Every structure is written in C-alpha cells, then in structure tokens.
Amino acid sequence: MENLLINHYEVAAVILFGIGFLNLLLQNNLVKKVIGFGIMDNAVYLFLASQGYIEGRLAPILVGETARAADYINPIPAGLVLTGIVVSVSVTAFSLALIQRLYQKYKTVNFDEIVLLARQKGDE
Amino acid sequence: MNKMARMKKEKKTPWQRFCAWVNGDAPEKALLPAEPPKPKKKKEVKPQKKKAAAPKKEWMGLTRFEHIYRVCAVFIGVIIVAVLMITVVQLPLFGSPDNPAENEVVERYVEDGLEETGAVNMVAGMILDYRAFDTFGESSVLFLAVTCVTMLLMRDRNNTDKDEDLLTAREHIVEGHEEDIILLQIAKLIIPCVLVYGIYVVLNGHLSPGGGFSGGTIMGSALILFAVSFGMIRMSRFFNYSTFRKITSSALMVYAASKAYSFFTGANHLESHIPLGTPGAILSSGLILVLDICVGIVVACTMYGFYALFTKGEL
Amino acid sequence: MSFIHNFPFFSIFICMISGIVTPLLKNGKWAYRLSLCASGAGLVLSGVLLGRVGPRNESFSFMMGHFPAPWGNELSVGPLEAVLATAICLVMLLALLAGRRDIFEDVLPEKQKLYFIMMDEILAALLALTYTNDIFTAYVFIEISTIAACAIVMAKDSSATMVATMRYLIMSLLGSGLVLLGIVLLYCITGHLLFPNLQQRVLELVATNQYAMPLTVVVGLIVMGLGIKSAMFPFHLWLPPAHGSATTASSSVLSGLVVKGYIILMIRLFYKVFTIEVIRSLRVTNMVFLFGLAGMIVGSVGAIKEGHIKRMLAYSSVAQLGYVFMGIGLGTDVGIMAACFQILVHACTKPMLFGCASALSAGRHHNKKLYALRGAAYENKLAGVGFTVGALSMIGIPLFGGFAAKVFFASATMAQPVKMWMTLLTLALSTVLNALYYIPAVTALWSKPAEGEAGEKQPADPTFAVSTVLFIAAVFFLGICYQPVVTLIQNGLALL
C-alpha cells in the first residue's frame, strides 16, 4: 500500500488510462471517443514521464563542461514522450477529420446513428 | 450482410436455422445451393426484407447488442485497471535513483552525449542522433497525418456542401470589404514576435529546451494568426497548396538524405565528415541543427495545414 | 561487413523517400509508377539479401547510426526476415498491379497521388516491422501502418468505407494504446529498448523471479494490443467491413500484409525479447491457442452467412488468421514455423482472391453480391481460374499452398496430446466450413448464367493478368516446392 502512495503518479496514470479506455469504448459521441483516446494516451505519457524522474537531480540540459550521470535525470522517457505526443497529435487530427466528414454526410456525431443511417442508405 | 441483420437472424434458434438451411428456404444464404432458381428468389426477397426491417426494431436490436457490448467493455476496463494497479504496487519506486531504467544507456547519453553528438540538450542529442530512426518515423507520421487530412477534407466532388459553400463565399466577401483596424494592427505587432520566438526555439533546440517540434508549433501558430486576421485570400498569395507541398516534401527530403548519410556512414564504419563545432554555439552539433530546422518547417506547415483544412477545406 | 548488409536499410528508405517525393509528382499515374518502382526495388533488394543470408544461414544486426546496441537504433536480419520481406514486397507489387483499374476508378483523380503515398509508407512500415531490433521503433512504425491502413480504406470515399474506417480506427487506437502501455511498463522494469538487451534483462528477471507480475502484464498487454490490430478472435469485428468495402488493392494489401505485419512483430518479440520458453511458462500461448481455434470457427461461420463476396473473403481472413494464432499458440518451433508458412500462403492467396473477385464483378456493374456473379467466370476466364485456385488452396486441396500449411499445422501438434486433439478436430471442422462457402461460390461463378444475367465482356487488363498468373504460380510453388521455404523459415527461427 505504501508503494501506491509513493508511486502516486503511476496510480493517477492508471486511473486516467482506465477512464480514457472506457470513454473510447463506451461513448457514442465520436468527438468524446477521441477525447477518451487523448486521455488514454496522455495517461501513458504521464506514466512514462514519471519513470524518468529521480529525486533531487537536474533536467537533462548540460550545465558546465563535464557531465556526471548521477547529476541528471533520465533523458530517455522525455524523448519517448516527445515522439509519442507527435504520434497522438497526428492520430487525433486524422480522427477529427474523419468525424468532420461523417458529420457532413449524416449531420450527427453519434456513431450508432451514423451506422444505422449508413445501413439504411444501402451499403455496398 | 451486416451486424444488424445478423442480430435479427439470431432470434431464431440455431435448430430452426439449421432446418431452414436444410430445407433450402433461407433466402439470405443463397450462396450455399448452386441450382439456378435460388438467386432470383433472393433478388425478389431482398427488397422486401429491407422494407420489413422497420427502424424501430433495428434500434432495439442495436441496443441489445450495445447492452452486451457495454457490459463487456466495463468488465474489461475494470479488469485492466485493477491488474495495472496491482502491477504499479510492484514497480520500481518513483524518484528512486536505483530503479532499473538508470543503467549504462543513460550513463552514456549523459556523460558522453556532448562529446558524441555535440548537443548540450541531451534529449535533443538522444532523439536526433542516438535514436534518430524513431524520430524519422515520427516525422513521417506527421506527414502521413497531414496527407490523410488532405485526402479527407480537401474540397472535391464528394466533399461539397451547399451551406458551407455559401458560408465560404460570404466570408470571402467579408474578408474583401471589412478590415478590422485594431485586429490588423495588433496582428502586425504580434506575428513577427511569435515568428521570431518560434525560430529562436528551433535554432536553440540543441542548446536549451525546445527544438523542431515545439518551435515548429509556435511558428505554425504565427501562420494561423496571420490567416485568421488577414484572411485566407491574402494568405494564399504566398502560401498555397503547391508551396505547402514543395516546402514539406523538400524539408523531409533533406531530413531523409542527411539521416541516410549518417546511417550509412555509421553502419559501414565510415568516417562522417560533419563537424560537431564548439559545444554551446548556435552552429554546432552537426546534423542536429539541420534536422531541427527541417522538423520545425514540417511541423509549422503541418499545423497551418490542419487549421486551413479543418476550417476551409483548402490550403 | 558486405555491401549487401545495407539492403534492409535501403529498402525501408527507398519506400519512405518515394512516399515523400510523391506529392511533387504530376498526377496519379506517375505516383503509381513510382510506387511500382519502390516495391520492385524492395523486391530486388530483399531477394538479393535472401540469396545471401539464406544459403549462408547468417544473421546480423545493422546499426542505424554510429552507435551500437543499447544506445542506437538497430535492424536485425536473418533468413526468416529476408523471406518475409521478399514476400511482402512481392505481394505489394502484385496487389498494386492487380488493383490498378479499380484504384483509378474508385479514388478521385486529385487524391490518387495521396493514395500511393499511403501505399509506399505501408510498405516501409511493414519492412521496418519485419526488420527492426528496437521496440520503440516498432511502436512508431505500428502507428505509421495504422494511419496509412485507415487511409487506404477510406480512400474510396463511400459511406460504407467511412463508417468502416471509423470502426477500424477506434479499434486500432485501442490496440496501439495497449501496446504503448506494455512497452512503457517493459521499459520501466528493464531499462532497455533494444531486443538483445531486453532479452538479457528479461531472462535475468525470470531467473531471479523479480517483477514476475509486471512481466506477465507486459506480455498480456502487448499480445492483446497486437491481437486487436491483427483481428484476433474476440476483436475481429472491425475487419470484415473494413476489408470488404475498400478498393481492391487496399483490401488485398490489408488482408494479405497489414494484419500480418503485427503478427510478424509478435513472433519476433516472442523469440527475441521474451523467449519462447518464458512465453510458454506464462501460459500466454494457451490463450492465443484458444483464441486462434475460436477465430477459425467464428470466421468461417461468418463467411457462410455472408452474401457479399468481398466480405465473405474478409471473414475467411479472420478464419485464416485464426490458423496463424493457433500455430503461435502451440508455443513450439514447429508450430510457429507452420504459422509463418501460413502467413506466406495466405499473403499469396487472399490478395489474388480479392483481385479476381473484383475483376469478376467488373462486368456486373461492380455488384459484389454472390447471386449477381453467376457465370461471371465465363466473361473473365483468368479471374475465374484465379478465384478457383485461391478457393481450393484455402480449403486445403493437395498441391495447393493451403494444404501444405494444414499438414504442417497437423504435424506440429503431435508432441502435445491435448492440443493435438483440439487442433485436429478444429482443423477438420474448419476445412469443412471453408468448403461450405468456397465451393458454392466457385460453382456459382462457373454455372451458366440465366437469361439476361450475363454481363458485358470487359476489355483485357494486362497488369491484372500478369499479377494473377504470378499469384497462381506462387500458390502452386508453396504447395509443391515448399521444402526450401520451410528450411529457410526453420533456419530463421533458430537464428532469431
């Protein structure tokens, strides 16, 4: 139990992941689905970023001439989060564009209604 | 055949369906028997079925499927969260200096990073030199995303809307006639500052926090601000779809070419003839600066591209 | 270090660069030619590479940059990767050839260029997933192939494809979220991202029994995430609408290659990171095995109910992927060898079936309902023959590729009595079910059309003919001369 308190960033990340996951699955509103995806991805980044932190060390920007590994926090999670964020921006843009098209066609962002309308139009 | 219809069909018991199949009077399974009259029968039956399927019943069918789906989803979600919670308890402790991620990899990135990559900002050194292949993939993701958005939202004959065309036409008239003097003056003041700040962040990517992605976003916001305050018509005088294509493609080409050079020399143990410069100077750290600039350009164009495509459907 | 060792890197970069250059080209025709060149170049490079690493039985890792394993990105290449990469490039090339007419009909002229960008990037991503030696690179390329795959589904721009794309996108996002979380957890218990170092750390952890629970969760998350993306049984519902409604080349590439990319990655992770013994001891293989068996049945039942020929083929993909998962689930080298062979067979057969199905429907105003296709084979004999060959291979008639795969699956189970009975029974049942929908489809195609039903004859399509003939040759090659391929796969698995 103590570990849960110490690892509170990870705990928050896991809870957010669950919220995002369920939103992605359960929301009928497509925009809310995308928001759920955003929450889920950001939870993962929070988790990852918290892995790099080490008590009392500096950010990984070099100060002075020589560097000692014991002075700086881990730069890898920061880099991975950067990569991950760009990926999720791209995916979000793509899904929002798709939603805009669907809205144009069916005048609704409710996925169930869209599925039914598409079916009534006769699918090929 | 879709889920809806399948749901409806499943109301029959499997035995009834089997009997129906044996008797050959299940029209939707016309593919099974190959004798001639079948398909015609199916053709006749098909439209009737569509008419018979009243929307109300379909809704009910959907909700039943939805019901099961929802229960499953909540169940899976709760299980995942619970399992992850138990996992978190067993993970290395937050902020402790001896967790497994602190190993020889980090040591080399921090201690030899400056000497090997020339970058003061170790994160920049890591993503643009040690692990540059990931970052190349990441820029491609951005490129793909803007291509996809273009594919979806660029005006074409499938993607036109009378109301929206009217709206666009009216906006063009407004843009042509009315000029908000306060907006224009303040925009004239702010845009250069934003742009300069963006360029600063890009150019200092290897020295301080920042780099291509963050700086590119700032520059992109300057472009968006210009488009908002001066109107798309004036924007398109110097920035249209063809310039957009040329700029992003050539920036990515430079990126790909310089990375290909460094991968090729690295893998074949050839000497790379790119000077690293004095650490801390703007013109240092070899290819990282070039890559940062390329990424910055791509990101700025992409951000503006997203804005223009989402609002107007054109670039 | 020989110059040939650069070829994996060259093939990935050629595909990515041709994607980047494509927006500058004049029109879709040129973009199509460039895509053909890129996949052709990939085929030649992978072929030469296979010619070198195959006979010498050699495997090597290739530094992407100036820094070796734990620090920089790497590719790793062996006979298995070379075989798979050659097959991927070949199928991509042939799918583009077979789908040429439909691409230019279905995709709007101003968007055709963009479509080919997606094709190039998919090929690059698949090659990168096959070769990569770094788990985070794998994640980035998973995302590239996700976005590009969704884009080639929606390129047709009809209402059905839009809805199918949305569903596909949601499931894919779910899958990549889970994979990413798995990778992050793996990083925080091991501190590495490259396969060889990860494997070393994982074995240490298993030996000292540290972090046992997190390791299980990592494997579970990664398998679940990749399973969602490759339509493993309970998560297969997105596949039929997406693969059934897209344009021909997209359906071929998606069914034949994209879903396989994730499975290839899964196999490589099982061997190169977690090692197959650890995976077996975590009992993950048993789950995958059961899901595979269920997928084989559910996919076939779905196909039997389907009256739309392309969606029928898509359901059959679910069943065929079930075979692959079953092979992985056996958790033995022979089982995974059979799974790899099945990947090759399905990659050659399904694109041909999709190509032939749409060529047959071309004369019937693109009506893809089976009842509308009666006698269509007489109007396009080559497509009819291709469809028949594909169908017979899927059912598992001797001399066709599918039969060899089934024999390997059956013989792979001999060591495990419980799994043997389940596998053999399901194999038999699934063969019967396959026959239940493929045989009627083939007879319908070859039966005389009724009065007024016959469609007009289509003009000859040389690219389609070339690709179908090559596909048929590949199916027979895998069915008759499978021994060299199997030897390569076995050697490759031993070297992973």
Side-chain angles (χ1 to χ4, degrees):
Chain A
M1 273 299 112
E2 277 170 43
N3 285 2
L4 276 185
L5 282 180
I6 301 174
N7 281 350
H8 54 280
Y9 280 97
E10 283 92 334
V11 171
V14 166
I15 292 170
L16 284 173
F17 185 85
I19 292 173
F21 189 84
L22 286 181
N23 267 302
L24 185 55
L25 280 181
L26 294 181
Q27 289 288 356
N28 272 336
N29 185 326
L30 286 173
V31 179
K32 287 185 186 165
K33 263 192 204 291
V34 175
I35 293 173
F37 163 72
I39 295 174
M40 190 175 94
D41 255 16
N42 283 316
V44 181
Y45 304 142
L46 175 63
F47 196 111
L48 187 51
S50 73
Q51 290 303 315
Y53 180 73
I54 292 158
E55 203 77 48
R57 295 198 187 173
L58 298 172
I61 312 269
L62 209 64
V63 184
E65 285 297 303
T66 48
R68 278 192 329 122
D71 290 340
Y72 297 94
I73 64 165
N74 185 350
I76 299 172
L80 301 187
V81 168
L82 187 58
T83 310
I85 285 176
V86 175
V87 169
S88 79
V89 164
S90 315
V91 174
T92 310
F94 179 31
S95 16
L96 287 176
L98 197 56
I99 293 169
Q100 192 176 341
R101 278 303 296 279
L102 284 172
Y103 180 76
Q104 231 174 41
K105 216 168 223 157
Y106 300 108
K107 301 295 173 209
T108 171
V109 286
N110 186 319
F111 194 46
D112 292 345
E113 285 176 28
I114 291 177
V115 170
L116 278 182
L117 287 170
R119 204 161 282 160
Q120 276 162 12
K121 281 191 180 176
D123 43 358
E124 160 51 0
Chain B
M1 196 58 61
N2 42 44
K3 203 187 299 153
M4 198 62 259
R6 232 179 298 137
M7 286 304 306
K8 274 165 57 69
K9 251 193 288 162
E10 271 154 25
K11 270 199 273 182
K12 289 194 243 168
T13 63
W15 176 246
Q16 278 170 327
R17 270 186 291 149
F18 181 66
C19 290
W21 176 65
V22 171
N23 296 335
D25 52 32
E28 65 268 25
K29 289 197 210 88
L31 67 156
L32 285 173
E35 60 265 27
K38 262 285 141 62
K40 279 201 169 167
K41 192 170 162 192
K42 185 174 179 185
K43 252 187 207 163
E44 287 155 19
V45 173
K46 240 338 206 231
Q48 280 175 4
K49 259 194 76 186
K50 261 187 191 149
K51 265 178 237 156
K56 210 174 178 184
K57 272 189 180 172
E58 295 205 332
W59 277 110
M60 302 241 320
L62 195 69
T63 35
R64 195 166 53 242
F65 173 74
E66 279 287 281
H67 191 70
I68 303 164
Y69 170 78
R70 259 155 215 274
V71 171
C72 288
V74 171
F75 187 66
I76 293 175
V78 169
I79 286 184
I80 287 184
V81 170
V83 168
L84 285 176
M85 241 3 148
I86 302 170
T87 316
V88 165
V89 177
Q90 302 183 6
L91 283 184
L93 292 181
F94 172 71
S96 103
D98 44 41
N99 64 32
E102 279 297 298
N103 53 15
E104 71 273 16
V105 185
V106 178
E107 207 169 285
R108 175 153 172 191
Y109 283 168
V110 172
E111 294 188 345
D112 305 334
L114 185 63
E115 195 185 315
E116 285 174 349
T117 67
V120 176
N121 179 353
M122 293 161 203
V123 178
M126 184 203 124
I127 62 170
L128 291 172
D129 204 335
Y130 288 108
R131 303 181 57 82
F133 189 40
D134 285 358
T135 318
F136 181 49
E138 175 198 2
S139 326
S140 305
V141 172
L142 212 55
F143 169 68
L144 275 186
V146 78
T147 315
C148 287
V149 175
T150 320
M151 232 167 149
L152 278 166
L153 296 181
M154 193 69 133
R155 290 255 174 276
D156 58 42
R157 75 182 142 82
N158 285 346
N159 177 21
T160 40
D161 194 333
K162 260 186 210 153
D163 299 347
E164 237 166 84
D165 286 347
L166 280 177
L167 200 70
T168 322
R170 212 169 61 223
E171 272 172 23
H172 276 249
I173 295 168
V174 171
E175 269 174 20
H177 289 287
E178 280 177 41
E179 290 201 331
D180 191 330
I181 203 109
I182 299 173
L183 177 69
L184 289 188
Q185 292 306 318
I186 292 179
K188 269 181 199 162
L189 212 64
I190 290 177
I191 291 168
C193 301
V194 176
L195 212 49
V196 168
Y197 181 57
I199 293 170
Y200 164 80
V201 173
V202 170
L203 292 184
N204 278 278
H206 53 298
L207 303 176
S208 62
F213 290 102
S214 27
T217 324
I218 299 171
M219 294 200 295
S221 69
L223 287 176
I224 293 174
L225 187 57
F226 185 90
V228 171
S229 46
F230 290 87
M232 293 294 251
I233 302 170
R234 249 182 271 186
M235 186 77 194
S236 60
R237 271 182 214 152
F238 67 92
F239 196 89
N240 54 22
Y241 186 46
S242 102
T243 44
F244 168 81
R245 273 183 328 206
K246 279 176 197 150
I247 291 175
T248 40
S249 286
S250 37
L252 277 170
M253 278 305 292
V254 174
Y255 194 129
S258 52
K259 250 18 268 187
Y261 173 75
S262 111
F263 291 160
F264 185 74
T265 52
N268 294 292
H269 304 288
L270 303 173
E271 205 184 330
S272 159
H273 296 284
I274 292 164
L276 288 182
T278 37
I282 284 280
L283 289 178
S284 68
S285 71
L287 285 173
I288 292 180
L289 182 63
V290 181
L291 299 183
D292 257 339
I293 293 171
C294 293
V295 172
I297 292 170
V298 172
V299 174
C301 293
T302 306
M303 290 301 147
Y304 172 70
F306 283 158
Y307 165 78
L309 287 166
F310 272 104
T311 49
K312 296 277 192 308
E314 57 201 22
L315 258 167
Chain C
M1 171 126 188
S2 127
F3 187 68
I4 295 179
H5 289 178
N6 288 306
F7 283 5
F9 154 63
F10 287 164
S11 54
I12 295 173
F13 259 63
I14 285 174
C15 300
M16 294 190 97
I17 289 176
S18 51
I20 293 169
V21 175
T22 303
L24 303 176
L25 296 177
K26 209 168 74 193
N27 54 29
K29 286 243 153 48
W30 284 101
Y32 176 68
R33 283 167 204 156
L34 184 65
S35 287
L36 285 184
C37 290
S39 42
L43 178 62
V44 171
L45 291 175
S46 319
V48 173
L49 183 73
L50 179 62
R52 177 174 166 107
V53 296
R56 297 188 189 201
N57 204 6
E58 135 186 59
S59 90
F60 62 94
S61 58
F62 179 87
M63 284 196 294
M64 294 297 267
H66 294 267
F67 308 99
W71 297 283
N73 292 123
E74 271 190 353
L75 304 178
S76 78
V77 188
L80 179 67
E81 284 90 342
V83 171
L84 290 171
T86 315
I88 287 171
C89 294
L90 178 70
V91 172
M92 182 62 141
L93 184 66
L94 296 183
L96 280 172
L97 285 175
R100 181 185 62 98
R101 191 184 280 165
D102 280 15
I103 294 172
F104 288 105
E105 273 174 20
D106 287 340
V107 184
L108 291 176
E110 62 267 39
K111 311 243 156 124
Q112 284 160 3
K113 271 197 306 199
L114 309 180
Y115 179 82
F116 292 111
I117 297 179
M118 300 300 156
M119 284 299 203
D120 293 339
E121 298 277 338
I122 280 187
L123 185 53
L126 287 168
L127 289 173
L129 286 179
T130 316
Y131 286 130
T132 181
N133 204 18
D134 181 316
I135 200 163
F136 201 74
T137 312
Y139 167 70
V140 173
F141 282 95
I142 286 176
E143 290 290 0
I144 292 187
S145 82
T146 302
I147 296 182
C150 289
I152 61 172
V153 176
M154 95 212 168
K156 197 174 168 185
D157 217 345
S158 71
S159 56
T161 51
M162 285 287 169
V163 176
T165 314
M166 199 66 227
R167 191 167 280 161
Y168 183 19
L169 188 61
I170 292 167
M171 290 314 278
S172 295
L173 293 184
L174 215 60
S176 29
L178 293 174
V179 172
L180 181 61
L181 189 61
I183 292 173
V184 168
L185 277 171
L186 186 61
Y187 175 72
C188 65
I189 58 176
T190 59
H192 283 287
L193 291 166
L194 277 107
F195 291 172
N197 308 84
L198 278 172
Q199 188 187 34
Q200 196 189 341
R201 280 287 297 164
V202 166
L203 290 179
E204 274 171 39
L205 292 182
V206 172
T208 55
N209 205 15
Q210 277 177 301
Y211 298 123
M213 164 92 185
L215 193 63
T216 318
V217 173
V218 166
V219 177
L221 285 172
I222 291 182
V223 169
M224 198 167 145
L226 292 177
I228 290 179
K229 285 173 157 289
S230 49
M232 202 202 263
F233 153 65
F235 316 111
H236 66 280
L237 282 174
W238 58 264
L239 187 141
H243 292 197
S245 61
T247 179
T248 313
S250 307
S251 304
S252 311
V253 169
L254 289 168
S255 276
L257 300 178
V258 173
V259 284
K260 309 287 166 46
Y262 309 122
I263 300 177
I264 294 169
L265 179 67
M266 197 194 278
I267 293 175
R268 295 185 73 233
L269 286 177
F270 279 5
Y271 270 85
K272 301 198 71 148
V273 175
F274 302 111
T275 67
I276 201 77
E277 290 80 25
V278 175
I279 292 285
R280 247 201 323 261
S281 68
L282 294 176
R283 311 233 175 281
V284 177
T285 44
N286 295 352
M287 291 303 288
V288 176
F289 178 74
L290 290 179
F291 286 153
L293 291 186
M296 284 157 70
I297 304 295
V298 172
S300 297
V301 171
I304 289 177
K305 286 182 182 170
E306 198 53 74
H308 181 282
I309 191 165
K310 280 183 79 178
R311 273 203 295 271
M312 182 190 96
L313 293 175
Y315 269 112
S316 142
S317 290
V318 174
Q320 299 290 324
L321 291 168
Y323 284 82
V324 178
F325 285 119
M326 181 190 79
I328 297 173
L330 289 173
T332 53
D333 282 349
V334 265
I336 292 179
M337 189 277 291
C340 292
F341 190 77
Q342 165 74 5
I343 288 178
L344 293 180
V345 170
H346 189 239
C348 293
T349 317
K350 199 42 74 66
M352 175 172 74
L353 282 169
F354 272 118
C356 294
S358 62
L360 289 169
S361 71
R364 305 286 167 100
H365 308 289
H366 294 282
N367 188 343
K368 295 196 175 64
K369 293 277 192 292
L370 265 171
Y371 61 76
L373 292 174
R374 296 179 64 77
Y378 291 108
E379 287 142 39
N380 192 340
K381 293 232 169 55
L382 180 63
V385 171
F387 194 91
T388 314
V389 169
L392 294 179
S393 163
M394 285 286 163
I395 298 168
I397 306 290
L399 296 187
F400 295 90
F403 176 72
K406 280 184 187 172
V407 170
F408 287 131
F409 278 120
S411 59
T413 57
M414 289 309 165
Q416 296 152 291
V418 182
K419 282 185 180 174
M420 180 174 90
W421 288 114
M422 292 168 76
T423 314
L424 291 183
L425 281 177
T426 324
L427 265 178
L429 183 58
S430 132
T431 306
V432 172
L433 289 174
N434 278 344
L436 267 179
Y437 58 90
Y438 274 121
I439 297 286
V442 171
T443 32
L445 289 177
W446 288 103
S447 56
K448 280 268 172 252
E451 280 299 300
E453 261 193 343
E456 65 265 38
K457 249 192 148 60
Q458 290 294 302
D461 186 350
T463 57
F464 169 76
V466 169
S467 113
T468 308
V469 167
L470 285 175
F471 268 134
I472 293 175
V475 169
F476 278 113
F477 175 75
L478 287 174
I480 299 167
C481 328
Y482 50 80
Q483 203 49 48
V485 182
V486 170
T487 320
L488 279 172
I489 295 176
Q490 271 166 342
N491 294 340
L493 282 175
L495 283 172
L496 270 185

